[in-house]
mmCIF file of all heavy atoms in Angstrom:
data_model
loop_
_atom_site.group_PDB
_atom_site.id
_atom_site.type_symbol
_atom_site.label_atom_id
_atom_site.label_comp_id
_atom_site.label_asym_id
_atom_site.label_seq_id
_atom_site.Cartn_x
_atom_site.Cartn_y
_atom_site.Cartn_z
ATOM 1 N N LEU A 124 22.919 16.583 9.488
ATOM 2 C CA LEU A 124 23.788 15.719 10.271
ATOM 3 C C LEU A 124 25.139 16.361 10.545
ATOM 4 O O LEU A 124 25.726 17.002 9.680
ATOM 5 C CB LEU A 124 24.013 14.395 9.548
ATOM 6 C CG LEU A 124 22.898 13.367 9.655
ATOM 7 C CD1 LEU A 124 23.314 12.092 8.953
ATOM 8 C CD2 LEU A 124 22.538 13.067 11.101
ATOM 9 N N PHE A 131 19.463 13.544 15.649
ATOM 10 C CA PHE A 131 18.729 12.812 14.624
ATOM 11 C C PHE A 131 18.178 11.476 15.140
ATOM 12 O O PHE A 131 16.982 11.196 14.979
ATOM 13 C CB PHE A 131 19.604 12.617 13.386
ATOM 14 C CG PHE A 131 18.987 11.751 12.335
ATOM 15 C CD1 PHE A 131 17.804 12.132 11.725
ATOM 16 C CD2 PHE A 131 19.575 10.563 11.948
ATOM 17 C CE1 PHE A 131 17.215 11.343 10.752
ATOM 18 C CE2 PHE A 131 18.997 9.771 10.973
ATOM 19 C CZ PHE A 131 17.819 10.155 10.378
ATOM 20 N N PRO A 132 18.991 10.627 15.780
ATOM 21 C CA PRO A 132 18.421 9.379 16.313
ATOM 22 C C PRO A 132 17.380 9.633 17.402
ATOM 23 O O PRO A 132 16.462 8.838 17.580
ATOM 24 C CB PRO A 132 19.625 8.611 16.859
ATOM 25 C CG PRO A 132 20.750 9.572 16.905
ATOM 26 C CD PRO A 132 20.465 10.639 15.906
ATOM 27 N N SER A 147 14.436 6.189 7.787
ATOM 28 C CA SER A 147 15.249 7.392 7.686
ATOM 29 C C SER A 147 15.897 7.459 6.306
ATOM 30 O O SER A 147 16.238 6.441 5.719
ATOM 31 C CB SER A 147 16.354 7.373 8.756
ATOM 32 O OG SER A 147 15.792 7.201 10.037
ATOM 33 N N TYR A 148 16.040 8.679 5.813
ATOM 34 C CA TYR A 148 16.770 8.857 4.560
ATOM 35 C C TYR A 148 17.451 10.218 4.580
ATOM 36 O O TYR A 148 17.171 11.048 5.456
ATOM 37 C CB TYR A 148 15.864 8.704 3.334
ATOM 38 C CG TYR A 148 14.761 9.727 3.191
ATOM 39 C CD1 TYR A 148 14.887 10.807 2.315
ATOM 40 C CD2 TYR A 148 13.568 9.597 3.900
ATOM 41 C CE1 TYR A 148 13.869 11.731 2.160
ATOM 42 C CE2 TYR A 148 12.552 10.523 3.752
ATOM 43 C CZ TYR A 148 12.701 11.588 2.879
ATOM 44 O OH TYR A 148 11.696 12.508 2.746
ATOM 45 N N TYR A 149 18.343 10.429 3.660
ATOM 46 C CA TYR A 149 19.079 11.689 3.674
ATOM 47 C C TYR A 149 19.291 12.201 2.264
ATOM 48 O O TYR A 149 19.194 11.461 1.284
ATOM 49 C CB TYR A 149 20.418 11.525 4.390
ATOM 50 C CG TYR A 149 21.510 10.884 3.563
ATOM 51 C CD1 TYR A 149 22.534 11.648 3.008
ATOM 52 C CD2 TYR A 149 21.508 9.518 3.330
ATOM 53 C CE1 TYR A 149 23.535 11.058 2.252
ATOM 54 C CE2 TYR A 149 22.504 8.920 2.576
ATOM 55 C CZ TYR A 149 23.517 9.704 2.037
ATOM 56 O OH TYR A 149 24.488 9.124 1.269
ATOM 57 N N THR A 150 19.530 13.495 2.178
ATOM 58 C CA THR A 150 19.811 14.137 0.901
ATOM 59 C C THR A 150 21.097 14.940 1.035
ATOM 60 O O THR A 150 21.135 15.907 1.802
ATOM 61 C CB THR A 150 18.666 15.090 0.493
ATOM 62 O OG1 THR A 150 17.435 14.377 0.494
ATOM 63 C CG2 THR A 150 18.906 15.659 -0.890
ATOM 64 N N GLU A 156 24.431 17.279 4.950
ATOM 65 C CA GLU A 156 23.530 16.170 4.687
ATOM 66 C C GLU A 156 22.248 16.365 5.481
ATOM 67 O O GLU A 156 22.247 16.288 6.711
ATOM 68 C CB GLU A 156 24.220 14.858 5.041
ATOM 69 C CG GLU A 156 25.317 14.524 4.043
ATOM 70 C CD GLU A 156 26.201 13.379 4.471
ATOM 71 O OE1 GLU A 156 26.902 13.515 5.475
ATOM 72 O OE2 GLU A 156 26.185 12.358 3.777
ATOM 73 N N LEU A 157 21.181 16.651 4.781
ATOM 74 C CA LEU A 157 19.887 16.850 5.419
ATOM 75 C C LEU A 157 19.214 15.494 5.598
ATOM 76 O O LEU A 157 19.235 14.664 4.688
ATOM 77 C CB LEU A 157 19.006 17.765 4.580
ATOM 78 C CG LEU A 157 19.573 19.160 4.287
ATOM 79 C CD1 LEU A 157 18.560 19.999 3.535
ATOM 80 C CD2 LEU A 157 19.979 19.854 5.578
ATOM 81 N N VAL A 158 18.623 15.300 6.761
ATOM 82 C CA VAL A 158 18.030 14.003 7.063
ATOM 83 C C VAL A 158 16.536 14.133 7.347
ATOM 84 O O VAL A 158 16.073 15.159 7.841
ATOM 85 C CB VAL A 158 18.744 13.322 8.259
ATOM 86 C CG1 VAL A 158 20.004 12.651 7.815
ATOM 87 C CG2 VAL A 158 19.027 14.307 9.375
ATOM 88 N N TYR A 159 15.824 13.067 7.013
ATOM 89 C CA TYR A 159 14.375 13.055 7.132
ATOM 90 C C TYR A 159 13.935 11.705 7.691
ATOM 91 O O TYR A 159 14.658 10.711 7.598
ATOM 92 C CB TYR A 159 13.721 13.243 5.758
ATOM 93 C CG TYR A 159 14.144 14.492 5.042
ATOM 94 C CD1 TYR A 159 15.320 14.513 4.280
ATOM 95 C CD2 TYR A 159 13.399 15.660 5.130
ATOM 96 C CE1 TYR A 159 15.728 15.675 3.627
ATOM 97 C CE2 TYR A 159 13.806 16.822 4.484
ATOM 98 C CZ TYR A 159 14.965 16.816 3.740
ATOM 99 O OH TYR A 159 15.378 17.955 3.098
ATOM 100 N N ASN A 188 18.001 3.727 -2.203
ATOM 101 C CA ASN A 188 19.395 3.695 -1.748
ATOM 102 C C ASN A 188 19.686 4.770 -0.708
ATOM 103 O O ASN A 188 20.635 4.646 0.063
ATOM 104 C CB ASN A 188 20.347 3.849 -2.936
ATOM 105 C CG ASN A 188 20.389 2.600 -3.788
ATOM 106 O OD1 ASN A 188 20.199 1.502 -3.277
ATOM 107 N ND2 ASN A 188 20.603 2.761 -5.077
ATOM 108 N N ALA A 189 18.903 5.836 -0.716
ATOM 109 C CA ALA A 189 19.104 6.909 0.264
ATOM 110 C C ALA A 189 18.531 6.543 1.630
ATOM 111 O O ALA A 189 18.839 7.182 2.629
ATOM 112 C CB ALA A 189 18.464 8.208 -0.239
ATOM 113 N N MET A 190 17.698 5.504 1.669
ATOM 114 C CA MET A 190 17.090 5.104 2.925
ATOM 115 C C MET A 190 18.128 4.422 3.816
ATOM 116 O O MET A 190 18.691 3.394 3.447
ATOM 117 C CB MET A 190 15.934 4.137 2.699
ATOM 118 C CG MET A 190 14.849 4.649 1.787
ATOM 119 S SD MET A 190 13.887 5.969 2.519
ATOM 120 C CE MET A 190 12.479 5.064 3.090
ATOM 121 N N CYS A 191 18.376 5.011 4.948
ATOM 122 C CA CYS A 191 19.207 4.380 5.978
ATOM 123 C C CYS A 191 20.648 4.114 5.539
ATOM 124 O O CYS A 191 21.339 3.331 6.183
ATOM 125 C CB CYS A 191 18.588 3.065 6.452
ATOM 126 S SG CYS A 191 16.868 3.213 6.921
ATOM 127 N N ARG A 192 21.109 4.714 4.468
ATOM 128 C CA ARG A 192 22.483 4.485 4.021
ATOM 129 C C ARG A 192 23.337 5.688 4.432
ATOM 130 O O ARG A 192 23.826 6.430 3.592
ATOM 131 C CB ARG A 192 22.534 4.302 2.498
ATOM 132 C CG ARG A 192 21.690 3.150 1.981
ATOM 133 C CD ARG A 192 22.393 1.809 2.184
ATOM 134 N NE ARG A 192 21.551 0.716 1.703
ATOM 135 C CZ ARG A 192 21.584 0.259 0.477
ATOM 136 N NH1 ARG A 192 22.393 0.791 -0.420
ATOM 137 N NH2 ARG A 192 20.799 -0.739 0.108
ATOM 138 N N LEU A 193 23.461 5.897 5.706
ATOM 139 C CA LEU A 193 24.210 7.053 6.196
ATOM 140 C C LEU A 193 25.679 6.692 6.364
ATOM 141 O O LEU A 193 26.025 5.559 6.696
ATOM 142 C CB LEU A 193 23.632 7.520 7.536
ATOM 143 C CG LEU A 193 22.169 7.965 7.468
ATOM 144 C CD1 LEU A 193 21.610 8.132 8.872
ATOM 145 C CD2 LEU A 193 22.032 9.265 6.702
ATOM 146 N N ARG A 194 26.533 7.650 6.118
ATOM 147 C CA ARG A 194 27.959 7.391 6.254
ATOM 148 C C ARG A 194 28.295 7.003 7.693
ATOM 149 O O ARG A 194 27.747 7.570 8.646
ATOM 150 C CB ARG A 194 28.767 8.631 5.850
ATOM 151 C CG ARG A 194 28.840 8.822 4.350
ATOM 152 C CD ARG A 194 29.887 9.845 3.945
ATOM 153 N NE ARG A 194 29.543 11.194 4.319
ATOM 154 C CZ ARG A 194 30.119 11.868 5.309
ATOM 155 N NH1 ARG A 194 31.059 11.308 6.034
ATOM 156 N NH2 ARG A 194 29.770 13.101 5.586
ATOM 157 N N PRO A 195 29.199 6.057 7.901
ATOM 158 C CA PRO A 195 29.594 5.668 9.254
ATOM 159 C C PRO A 195 30.120 6.870 10.031
ATOM 160 O O PRO A 195 30.787 7.743 9.473
ATOM 161 C CB PRO A 195 30.717 4.642 9.017
ATOM 162 C CG PRO A 195 30.478 4.130 7.635
ATOM 163 C CD PRO A 195 29.879 5.265 6.861
ATOM 164 N N GLY A 196 29.783 6.912 11.303
ATOM 165 C CA GLY A 196 30.287 7.980 12.157
ATOM 166 C C GLY A 196 29.373 9.184 12.277
ATOM 167 O O GLY A 196 29.597 10.065 13.096
ATOM 168 N N LEU A 197 28.301 9.203 11.460
ATOM 169 C CA LEU A 197 27.412 10.359 11.522
ATOM 170 C C LEU A 197 26.426 10.270 12.679
ATOM 171 O O LEU A 197 25.963 11.281 13.179
ATOM 172 C CB LEU A 197 26.649 10.522 10.208
ATOM 173 C CG LEU A 197 27.459 11.142 9.055
ATOM 174 C CD1 LEU A 197 26.635 11.166 7.783
ATOM 175 C CD2 LEU A 197 27.915 12.551 9.405
ATOM 176 N N ILE A 198 26.088 9.061 13.083
ATOM 177 C CA ILE A 198 25.123 8.896 14.169
ATOM 178 C C ILE A 198 25.823 8.310 15.389
ATOM 179 O O ILE A 198 26.595 7.369 15.286
ATOM 180 C CB ILE A 198 23.960 7.991 13.725
ATOM 181 C CG1 ILE A 198 23.153 8.697 12.632
ATOM 182 C CG2 ILE A 198 23.059 7.652 14.897
ATOM 183 C CD1 ILE A 198 21.995 7.898 12.121
#
Side-chain angles (χ1 to χ4, degrees):
L124 281 183
F131 174 62
S147 305
Y148 64 101
Y149 79 103
T150 305
E156 289 169 295
L157 302 184
V158 279
Y159 303 84
N188 287 330
M190 304 290 262
C191 309
R192 301 281 179 90
L193 299 168
R194 284 193 291 107
L197 282 176
I198 293 180

